[in-house]
Each structure stands twice: as structure tokens, then as C-alpha cells.
Amino acid sequence: MPQEFGNRLRALQRRLNQSGAGALLVTHLPNVYYLSGFTGSAGALVVEPRSATLFTDGRYSVQAREQLHSSGVNASISQVNPLEAAGSILKGLKGSASRRTTILDPSRITVAGRGTLSRAAGRRVKWQNSTGWVEEMRTIKSRGEITKIRAAARLISKVFDQVVKLVRPGITELDLAAEVDYRMRKLGASGPSFDTIIASGPRAALPHAQPTAKRLRQNELVVLDMGAILARYCSDLTRTVYLGRAPRRVKQWYKAVLDAQKAAQEALAIENVAEQPDAAARRVLDSCGLGQYFVHSTGHGLGLEVHEEPRLAKGQRKRLMPGMVVTIEPGVYVEGIGGIRIEDDVAIHAGRIEVLTTAPRELLEL
Ligand SMILES: [Mn+2]
């Protein structure tokens, strides 16, 4: 595993060298970690064809030395803003205009940061905007990475199994969310991969509801959407339960969402374009007259971040490939009544898929 950082860095350096540019600046911290192993909360990585340097501050001098050991990245500790320090090194790029070019991802830097960089680097440096070099590499997970995501998925499934026992009329959404967060840490997670969602009754119709002081009541749908970070990798799980005996209409909706999820998973196993699982889920919900209530995309990549490439959505032409890990999470949301979402994490292997989350999928009537 440790040599993985160095291997990724070398792959990126080959691409950089082919591009003819002199350097690539990495400012997005999950990308910095992916290439170097550095986990600090401040830093910028300058990758050149034959070397790489992490710029960070004095808080991280010991940590940087330890963590960069396996990737071979140099550490540069300074008192100034890492972008200012990186800019002064880039100022030293020599040679043709192309060798004096630094590639950076404009979606990963603030306007202020971009200004700092330009002032520090001076006039001779050329800048080229290009997005997604590292994100693209990150879409294909190694076996070691999939093992970590699997462990995070199992962990969050366990949390669901524990917390579902507490779902009853009278408990508040906030109380349940606190139980989710507490239990995932007790099981070894470093924290939630996003703010835990507990949404009950009409609030379940809001796909990204925040938990409130509202108490759960009899005859309500409850959406529980939770994810854990374990060994830096994320999981993401949603289940919807009903408090009491579900009416026929709710059972029909639930079955439609579950069928849509199955159809999307089947498409994921046999198709190879990112929009196809989404289209499959949408076809099922359309045929049940529920298409208008499915207001988000079918899934997203999962890894060091809880939302990453590829997106399983309309118009996404990205190729699905072994090593990708995605969520499959169709839902229906009916204003004033409630919502249903069922979400699992799925790894794509050569010729098959593997569902990593294990919580029960049938409708639980509690
Ligand atoms: Mn999700």
C-alpha cells in the first residue's frame, strides 16, 4: 500500500511530461493525499516531471516528513501561505514557454489564492487551466482501496442495524442522528463522510433534509442517510423505514424504488456508459408513474470523497470500468407526504459487480 503513492505520482509525472508542461499544481487536499500520503489540512503540491514538492507550514513539519517518506515527495516547510511558497518555486521554471507552464485546476483554487500564486510566481510563468487530472486517476480504485471502501460500507451497515432498533415514535431526528454519529465512531470510523440525514414524515420528501428537533410519529416514513470514513475512505448508505403498517400506496412506492435500484444495478453490471444505470432506474419509475418524483441522479463515485467521479446521471458519457465504486440510490419524493430512497455502494469488477453495503433492503415496518 505505501508504494501506491509513489506509483500514482509517477503515473501523473508521465502524463505531465507528455503534455510538455513544466509543472502541475495540486491544491485539492484529497488529491494531495492521493499522490503523496500527506493528510494535513493545509498544503499545496508542485509536481514536476522528475520531482515533487509539498509546501506546508510548521504545524506539519514532523507529520510531513513521516508521511511523505513512502512517496518520495520533498517537504518544504515555510511560514508563508503554501501557495505563496509554491509560487516562488514555480518562478524558477526554466526553458521554453511550454516548460515554463504550470497546469492548475481552476475549480480547486480560490480567486484570492490564484492572486497570491500569480504575484509570487512573477510574469515569466505561464498558466494553463486543466481540470480533473488526479480525479480521473482516482475513479479507478486499486484492490487495496476497494478493501477499505468495503470495510467502511460494512461499518455503516452495522451502524444502521444498531440504530434501526431505536427508530420509534417520540425520538427526535437529531437524537437519532447523534446515535448514528456516536456509533460509527465506536466502531472505528474517524467520523461521518457527510452530515447524517434523518428525515421523517413530510420532511422525508426533502432529499437532503437536515435533522431537526421534530419527533418521529406513528404512520410516517423515515429516511436515514449516513456514511462513515474509515481509513480515509467513505461509505454512503440510505434506508427508508415506515413506523407502523405501511399503507398500500407506500408499499407500491417502495417496491418501485427497489425495482429501480435493481434495474440500475443490472445495468451497471452489463453496460459500460455512466448514463445507462440512471436511464434504467428512470425507466422503472416512469413505468410506475413516479418518474416526476425522482428528482436527483442515480448515483456517484465514492472513495476518498463521498461524492466523486463518475456521476451516474443523464447525459454522462464516461466509461464504466472495473475498479470504479459508485452508489446506486434512486428515490421518490412526494411533497407534503414523504419520500423513499434506497442507497447501496457497489464496486465494479471485471465481469461482475459487488454490493458492498449489507443492511436489509426490504421495507421495514417498525
Ligand atoms: Mn449518496
Side-chain angles (χ1 to χ4, degrees):
M1 189 67 187
Q3 74 271 22
E4 245 184 332
F5 297 115
N7 293 343
R8 294 164 181 164
L9 184 61
R10 278 186 289 280
L12 184 69
Q13 285 171 319
R14 277 193 294 279
R15 182 172 171 192
L16 175 63
N17 200 33
Q18 281 160 11
S19 80
L24 176 103
L25 177 68
V26 184
T27 51
H28 186 48
L29 288 169
N31 290 344
V32 170
Y33 170 75
Y34 183 78
L35 296 167
S36 72
F38 177 69
T39 61
S41 65
L45 179 67
V46 171
V47 179
E48 296 177 72
R50 263 164 286 284
S51 66
T53 309
L54 174 82
F55 296 88
T56 185
D57 63 64
R59 290 173 297 169
Y60 295 115
S61 55
V62 176
Q63 182 181 327
R65 207 168 45 233
E66 284 174 6
Q67 293 183 326
L68 298 180
H69 185 72
S70 66
S71 60
V73 171
N74 306 306
S76 173
I77 312 293
S78 72
Q79 300 311 317
V80 300
N81 176 324
L83 286 177
E84 190 177 337
S88 5
I89 292 303
L90 294 170
K91 193 175 191 173
L93 287 177
K94 300 246 170 357
S96 62
S98 123
R99 285 293 164 195
R100 281 183 281 115
T101 296
T102 297
I103 294 169
L104 59 78
D105 185 337
S107 69
R108 303 298 194 187
I109 192 163
T110 63
V111 173
R114 185 68 181 80
T116 301
L117 199 57
S118 291
R119 278 191 299 279
R123 294 254 185 94
R124 274 178 57 79
V125 174
K126 309 241 173 279
W127 304 97
Q128 185 186 322
N129 289 335
S130 189
T131 57
W133 284 40
V134 185
E135 285 81 351
E136 199 176 295
M137 295 172 69
R138 282 173 45 198
T139 61
I140 308 295
K141 275 76 181 174
S142 68
R143 278 177 55 180
E145 289 182 288
I146 291 179
T147 300
K148 288 179 179 175
I149 301 170
R150 187 186 295 114
R154 295 272 156 81
L155 187 152
I156 202 63
S157 303
K158 248 184 232 166
V159 170
F160 176 81
D161 290 342
Q162 292 183 7
V163 166
V164 77
K165 300 191 176 101
L166 308 173
V167 177
R168 57 173 186 270
I171 190 169
T172 68
E173 294 172 348
L174 278 167
D175 197 344
L176 265 185
E179 291 286 350
V180 168
D181 296 358
Y182 171 71
R183 283 153 198 274
M184 70 172 75
R185 285 185 190 270
K186 289 288 273 186
L187 290 171
S190 61
S193 50
F194 56 91
D195 286 347
T196 300
I197 295 170
I198 307 286
S200 61
R203 296 187 42 73
L206 312 172
H208 265 188
Q210 287 176 328
T212 66
K214 177 190 172 298
R215 290 180 192 283
L216 273 51
R217 294 180 6 196
Q218 195 67 15
N219 303 319
E220 280 185 342
L221 283 161
V222 186
V223 173
L224 304 96
D225 187 353
M226 55 187 79
I229 304 175
L230 181 63
R232 307 206 72 82
Y233 282 81
C234 298
S235 56
D236 193 356
L237 171 76
T238 307
R239 289 294 183 263
T240 304
V241 301
Y242 193 83
L243 282 177
R245 289 269 310 268
R248 211 163 62 104
R249 180 175 65 169
V250 166
K251 284 186 172 159
Q252 284 167 349
W253 291 346
Y254 194 93
K255 183 178 181 304
V257 174
L258 194 56
D259 287 348
Q261 199 206 31
K262 282 180 196 151
Q265 285 183 13
E266 276 160 28
L268 191 71
I270 59 170
E271 306 287 3
N272 55 17
V273 182
E275 68 182 353
Q276 287 169 320
D278 180 78
R282 236 163 265 286
R283 262 196 304 277
V284 171
L285 291 171
D286 280 343
S287 74
C288 302
L290 296 170
Q292 59 176 309
Y293 301 119
F294 179 25
V295 294
H296 53 74
S297 58
T298 294
H300 51 85
L302 193 64
L304 289 171
E305 292 176 278
V306 72
H307 296 113
E308 50 181 64
E309 295 292 323
R311 314 275 156 175
L312 304 184
K314 212 180 210 158
Q316 290 291 320
R317 304 291 303 162
K318 198 155 277 180
R319 287 287 292 253
L320 296 171
M321 287 191 282
M324 288 181 169
V325 180
V326 294
T327 67
I328 300 283
E329 50 175 312
V332 298
Y333 309 90
V334 184
E335 192 179 343
I337 297 175
I340 295 168
R341 177 165 68 255
I342 307 170
E343 174 181 36
D344 285 283
D345 304 340
V346 184
I348 305 176
H349 298 297
R352 71 186 175 96
I353 59 166
E354 176 192 2
V355 181
L356 304 174
T357 31
T358 58
R361 262 161 229 107
E362 73 278 12
L363 176 60
L364 299 178
E365 298 172 282
L366 305 170

